[in-house]
Amino acid sequence: MRYGSQEVTDTFLDTRCANLSSAWGSHFGTLAMSIDKAAAWRIVERAIVAS
């Protein structure tokens, strides 16, 4: 939360806090329906280490 973007923070909280997302599943880290594919890819691309 300290170093990530607001999008990363919101997604992190949505995937871990059942009260914040009605789409929270029974599996840890389930993405909420509010997370669109483009946002998910931006987060993945941000996490990829450049070689």
Side-chain angles (χ1 to χ4, degrees), residues 3-25:
Y3 301 108
S5 66
Q6 187 64 48
E7 182 174 55
V8 171
T9 300
D10 291 344
T11 303
F12 178 87
L13 293 173
D14 281 348
T15 60
R16 286 156 177 85
C17 301
N19 294 335
L20 296 178
S21 173
S22 60
W24 191 77

Side-chain angles (χ1 to χ4, degrees), residues 5 7-8 11-12 35 38-48:
S5 66
E7 182 174 55
V8 171
T11 303
F12 178 87
I35 309 302
W41 275 112
R42 284 191 300 272
I43 292 168
V44 169
E45 288 172 352
R46 186 178 184 276
I48 294 173

